[in-house]
Amino acid sequence: QVQLVESGGGSVQAGGSLTLSCTASGDTSSLWLLGWFRQAAGKEREWVSSINSNDYAMYLDSVKGRFTISKDKDQTTVSLQMNSLKPEDTAMYYCAADPTVRHRYGWESLSRYNYWGQGTQVTVSS
């Protein structure tokens, strides 16, 4: 079992920056994929970025060049550095993780991840 706790959310003006952190506890050595999703009010949860145990990362097109995902070697912390924030980035951000290497679902799918955090709110004002 793995527990995930997000932190670092807050309110910022457009163009500003925030860094989200997700602290993992439990059997973190088993994790292969760590990621971030977000859910804006009234919308479905969408994938933002993920990184695997080999440090290969992927990003949603709309955040490429602005967001950077990283993790420590122990996989106890995964961070999301968010720069040049836009009002459309406003959402609850969730950390997710999964131990499976081969999976029927892609990285962008909610079904790909077995563990989820409770979320941290990011609000970007114009």
Side-chain angles (χ1 to χ4, degrees), residues 34-93:
L34 298 154
W36 288 93
F37 285 73
R38 66 187 180 187
Q39 187 167 17
K43 295 188 177 181
E44 294 185 352
R45 192 172 298 190
E46 70 171 350
W47 172 75
V48 175
S49 178
S50 293
I51 186 168
N52 69 12
S53 60
N54 298 320
D55 289 331
Y56 179 79
M58 295 181 68
Y59 298 90
L60 178 69
D61 283 347
S62 63
V63 308
K64 282 181 181 176
R66 300 189 298 123
F67 291 10
T68 303
I69 191 170
S70 63
K71 65 174 180 66
D72 63 2
K73 288 185 178 181
D74 294 333
Q75 300 189 146
T76 57
T77 302
V78 57
S79 299
L80 187 68
Q81 173 69 42
M82 305 185 296
N83 298 325
S84 302
L85 283 162
K86 304 175 180 180
E88 51 263 42
D89 294 318
T90 295
M92 184 73 78
Y93 282 71

